[in-house]
């Protein structure tokens, strides 16, 4: 069974031109699904001719990324299989109004046709996952060296423990006041995990974590985390940007991305990835030519209208 489920998951990933389709990515996908089955609380399958054509998996897990237990939903089907997609539509309708409050589902872009069904069933989009190419993004944004001094800011790399605490205070303050941009980011469990991550970066001397200061006050941080041999994406990096409202809507975010993109290009990063619901980041991402790769969908309070996430979807 696990082999059939893995092939279904791979059929969606193959829609992405940057996806590396080989044995290593197959095994990573297989392990991901095996882990979900171990913690599974519900598994429903659509079978035809003794073959699994679609699946709906739910598992209740204590995810370090969220810092709190969540119900994870995984949808499996070949996006080109109309009967399998219709079965998933019916499964969504059958669960309408019965999703646990912290239900999370990562809906890959090839399943876009299911989004209205999930919304009708009581889920909503909380953010989008975007991919970009550093070289292409720099060509579109411009390759001039970022100038933070024009904003009265000093940009430097994270260097001491006091700066770690300042970053954590900024994160708790920003996302505590604006949970729509990350409902879990100010939760104690997530903050603990993030502090440990920053401490490790500091001990390792990571060159990819930047902090912004004005008058000895930390007003922002941005970073990318490289994975030079990712089984799915090859040389890729996850990105994050966090700015105090005092320096938002002035162009600082654009400079932060250019600083990271130049460093990524030097490090031969081919794909950068990140999730966002922030309108300024969505607008800047469009300028950088980033492509939508997934929607993060969840149950609970709806924070945004459908219009908020009408991100331009370029060809897969």
């Amino acid at each position: 069974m696990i082999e059939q489920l893995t092939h279904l998951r791979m059929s969606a990933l193959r829609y992405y031109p940057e996806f590396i389709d080989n044995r290593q990515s197959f095994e990573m996908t297989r392990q991901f699904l095996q882990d979900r089955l171990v913690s599974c609380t519900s598994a429903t399958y659509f079978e035809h001719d003794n073959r699994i054509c679609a699946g709906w998996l739910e598992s209740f897990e204590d995810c370090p990324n969220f810092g709190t237990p969540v119900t994870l939903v995984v949808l499996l089907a070949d996006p080109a299989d109309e009967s399998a997609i219709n079965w998933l539509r019916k499964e969504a309708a059958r669960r309408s109004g019965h999703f646990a409050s912290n239900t999370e589902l990562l809906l890959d872009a090839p399943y876009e046709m299911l989004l209205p069904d999930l919304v009708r069933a009581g889920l909503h989009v909380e953010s989008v996952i975007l991919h970009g190419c550093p070289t292409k993004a720099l060509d579109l944004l411009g390759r001039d060296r970022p100038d933070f001094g024009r904003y009265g800011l000093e940009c430097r790399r994270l260097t001491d423990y006091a700066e770690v605490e300042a970053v954590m205070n900024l994160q708790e303050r920003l996302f505590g006041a604006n949970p729509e941009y990350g409902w879990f980011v100010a939760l104690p469990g997530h903050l603990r995990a993030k502090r440990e991550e920053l401490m490790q970066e500091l001990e390792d001397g990571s060159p990819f974590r930047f902090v912004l200061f004005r008058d000895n006050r930390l007003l922002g941080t941005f970073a990318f985390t490289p994975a030079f041999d990712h089984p799915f994406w090859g040389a890729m990096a996850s990105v994050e940007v966090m700015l105090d409202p005092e320096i938002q809507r002035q162009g600082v975010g654009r400079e932060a991305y250019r600083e990271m993109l130049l460093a990524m290009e030097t490090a031969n990063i081919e794909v950068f990835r990140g999730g966002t619901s922030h309108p300024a980041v969505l607008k800047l991402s469009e300028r950088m030519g980033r492509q939508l790769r997934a929607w993060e969908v969840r149950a609970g309070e709806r924070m945004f209208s459908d219009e908020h996430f009408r991100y331009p979807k370029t060809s897969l």
Side-chain angles (χ1 to χ4, degrees), residues 89-128:
R89 287 193 171 105
K90 292 175 183 177
E91 286 298 301
R94 188 169 67 84
R95 290 168 170 78
S96 180
H98 297 289
F99 290 103
S101 59
N102 271 2
T103 296
E104 290 280 334
L105 189 164
L106 187 68
L107 186 72
D108 285 289
Y111 297 124
E112 179 183 17
M113 73 290 282
L114 291 172
L115 199 54
D117 301 275
L118 295 171
V119 171
R120 281 193 293 270
L123 302 177
H124 60 270
V125 179
E126 63 174 337
S127 62
V128 291

Side-chain angles (χ1 to χ4, degrees), residues 213-229:
F213 280 86
R214 177 187 288 161
D215 299 329
N216 294 318
R217 293 182 299 129
L218 186 141
L219 294 178
T221 182
F222 55 94
F224 67 92
T225 305
F228 293 102
D229 192 22

Side-chain angles (χ1 to χ4, degrees), residues 237-258:
S238 301
V239 297
E240 60 177 279
V241 177
M242 186 167 57
L243 303 177
D244 188 281
E246 184 178 326
I247 59 172
Q248 292 178 12
R249 299 182 178 87
Q250 299 172 30
V252 177
R254 181 185 64 248
E255 298 297 278
Y257 268 98
R258 284 205 297 156

